[in-house]
Amino acid sequence: MSSTLTPRAPRGPRAARAAHAIRPATSTAAPAPRGLLPVLLTATFMTALDVFVVNVAIPSLQADLGAGPAAVQWVVAGFGLALATGLITAGRLGDRYGRRRVFGLGLALFTLASAACGLAPTAGALVGARIAQGLAAALMGPQVLAILRTAYSGAAQARAFSMYGLTMGLGAVLGQLIGGVLIRADLFGLDWRTCFLLNLPVGLAALALVRRCLPESRAPRRPGLDPVGVALVTVALTGLVLPLIQGPGAGWPLWTWLGLGGSTVLLALFAVHQHRSGRAGGSPLVDTRLFADRVFTTGLLAQLAFWLGQASFFLVLALYLQTGRGLDALGAGLVFTPIGVGYLLTSTTAHRVVARLGRRTIALGGLLMAAGLGLLQLAVHAAGTTGGVWWLAPGLFVDGLGMGLVVAPVTSVVLAGVEPRLAGSAAGLVATVQQVAGALGVALLGILYYAADDPAAAFGHSLAALAVLEVLLVGLVQLLPRRAG
């Protein structure tokens, strides 16, 4: 990702177009304000945390609010559905009205919605607040990526994406641990509510710095809102994500298959509409010219392969630890610690590794993750459901090392060569792929996990499937240019 490492000049037009695949494009923009990264990363951490922290809060909030199974499911699903369906449209809003403005609005709404979650008197109120939280997170997500792409260049951009990846990963890895600690501490007798109320002081502090620390940026020409595109993609993604979230628990009733089939048709119509709108000089939500770049398209497929495995891995690991090994939320969260340690070691230095190895950094990360999953399989085979749980630690640590070499570099690959005027559109698409891949992975791996009666066998089968995804990731990376330059 560093512009200083260019071992030889690219030869031919294809190499010239691909030269920026790993290295961020240079820019003459003024240096980014000092507090920009902390503000953006605070919002990123809160969003990642709230995706996972709610899992450990469910038993307590269910008892406190008298929530039934459907309401509990929607506490989780409502956030994910609202987040996934709003990201592409939010990218366009940032391009049109200003990324700082839309980010600030999203942060304010997320903070308010978090307070509403923490103070919810009923299960219905909590579900509504969680949906509002997801919509607010959708407003922030694409702006974070677009601002990182436009505010930094060269080595500074590489470091910024590295810190972004670190923050995302730690929010996901530590979500269960933080939730377990808060619930065990029961601060002020608030029990599960502290998992949401924690966002209030953090969000307000970050919000106070938005205007001072974030530069405003938008597309050079103010794009239209594309209402037809907004309607098509929102309904299509709802029809795709909702069945994936609710289908496994509901036994895949007819409506889930109708939703999946209908979403496929609507996504095809959306693609046709976007292409025609772009050719006619309109303002499509997604500029289809992005897909003419092999680097962007291949990087997006690599994102898909990687994120298919991440949320689903955390899910089956938590199921194995809690249902198979009988650990409580805090105990299970502590077992996640080796992943966090490994991730911390590599994610903070991933940009330096990329400067030396280029695309092979991502391949190395995928191979390390596959090796970690293999070590986990050996540990599970040896321990079953009765042996010491800390035999899992070496495999988890190696898997975390691999994760740290993938999260930021694979995101940088997709966005580094995108023109600033298309940053919002590309960022919305990248964030949407992450969310949809996560939902799809959870659904598919959940089917595989529950197909086996024995938790150890179920976890072992899941690990084998996840290893295949890592090998696929390594294969996709081979289609990228060897180096920037």
Side-chain angles (χ1 to χ4, degrees):
M1 297 169 85
S2 171
S3 58
T4 61
L5 290 176
T6 54
R8 58 179 178 268
R11 289 171 285 186
R14 177 178 295 182
R17 287 193 302 269
H20 48 239
I22 304 295
R23 180 190 63 206
T26 57
S27 170
T28 57
R34 196 172 190 177
L36 184 150
L37 201 55
V39 172
L40 294 180
L41 297 186
T42 295
T44 300
F45 185 80
M46 287 197 300
T47 300
L49 186 69
D50 273 49
V51 171
F52 293 94
V53 74
V54 70
N55 293 330
V56 299
I58 284 175
S60 297
L61 69 86
Q62 190 172 16
D64 185 31
L65 300 179
V72 168
Q73 193 171 19
W74 269 100
V75 168
V76 178
F79 181 93
L81 180 63
L83 176 59
T85 57
L87 288 164
I88 290 178
T89 301
R92 169 49 49 87
L93 292 175
D95 285 346
R96 179 177 172 85
Y97 296 109
R99 292 157 191 150
R100 181 183 69 185
R101 178 180 297 178
V102 176
F103 172 83
L105 174 63
L107 181 58
L109 292 176
F110 188 88
T111 304
L112 286 173
S114 297
C117 288
L119 300 174
T122 65
L126 179 58
V127 169
R130 283 285 287 174
I131 292 173
Q133 245 193 340
L135 290 172
L139 287 175
M140 292 190 292
Q143 319 317 324
V144 172
L145 290 173
I147 291 172
L148 290 179
R149 169 63 188 86
T150 56
Y152 294 99
S153 63
Q157 187 181 104
R159 287 191 296 271
F161 273 113
S162 181
M163 294 306 296
Y164 168 80
L166 169 65
T167 303
M168 277 192 65
L170 289 182
V173 171
L174 298 180
Q176 286 208 157
L177 177 59
I178 292 173
V181 169
L182 288 173
I183 292 172
R184 178 72 65 86
D186 193 19
L187 298 173
F188 309 109
L190 292 171
D191 196 37
W192 61 270
R193 298 178 185 272
T194 54
C195 294
F196 299 108
L197 293 176
L198 178 67
N199 290 332
L200 192 57
V202 177
L204 289 174
L207 193 60
L209 298 173
V210 166
R211 183 170 291 275
R212 177 185 303 174
C213 297
L214 268 59
E216 185 59 282
S217 68
R218 54 172 58 86
R221 294 181 181 179
R222 193 177 191 188
L225 287 177
D226 187 14
V228 175
V230 169
L232 283 173
V233 76
T234 301
V235 176
L237 288 175
T238 301
L240 175 63
V241 176
L242 183 58
L244 291 176
I245 291 174
Q246 293 210 292
W252 298 101
L254 178 61
W255 71 264
T256 60
W257 297 108
L258 293 175
L260 292 172
S263 70
T264 303
V265 174
L266 289 175
L267 285 173
L269 290 175
F270 173 71
V272 171
H273 170 72
Q274 298 299 283
H275 183 66
R276 289 179 175 175
S277 177
R279 293 190 65 178
S283 298
L285 279 179
V286 176
D287 194 318
T288 55
R289 288 174 295 179
L290 287 167
F291 297 99
D293 184 353
R294 177 171 63 91
V295 172
F296 181 84
T297 303
T298 304
L300 208 60
L301 289 173
Q303 282 265 355
L304 178 65
F306 176 71
W307 290 105
L308 273 170
Q310 290 315 292
S312 51
F313 173 63
F314 292 142
L315 170 68
V316 295
L317 177 58
L319 287 172
Y320 171 68
L321 293 173
Q322 295 186 59
T323 63
R325 307 304 301 271
L327 300 182
D328 61 12
L330 181 57
L334 288 171
V335 177
F336 276 72
T337 305
I339 303 180
V341 174
Y343 187 84
L344 183 64
L345 288 175
T346 52
S347 60
T348 53
T349 58
H351 60 287
R352 296 192 184 96
V353 181
V354 168
R356 294 178 61 86
L357 300 181
R359 67 149 194 220
R360 289 176 293 179
T361 302
I362 304 173
L364 175 61
L367 291 173
L368 281 172
M369 292 175 69
L373 295 171
L375 289 173
L376 282 173
Q377 277 195 310
L378 292 176
V380 171
H381 179 73
T385 56
T386 57
V389 72
W390 287 105
W391 283 107
L392 301 174
L396 293 173
F397 176 74
V398 173
D399 185 73
L401 290 175
M403 281 177 56
L405 292 175
V406 175
V407 175
V410 79
T411 302
S412 182
V413 162
V414 183
L415 294 177
V418 171
E419 299 176 37
R421 66 184 181 85
L422 299 177
S425 176
L429 193 59
V430 168
T432 300
V433 166
Q434 292 175 356
Q435 294 301 317
V436 171
L440 179 60
V442 166
L444 294 178
L445 211 66
I447 293 173
L448 182 62
Y449 184 91
Y450 286 113
D453 295 328
D454 177 57
F459 189 45
H461 296 161
S462 301
L463 292 173
L466 289 166
V468 171
L469 284 176
E470 306 313 332
V471 173
L472 175 61
L473 172 64
V474 173
L476 286 168
V477 169
Q478 306 313 307
L479 301 177
L480 293 168
R482 289 184 180 277
R483 279 190 181 274

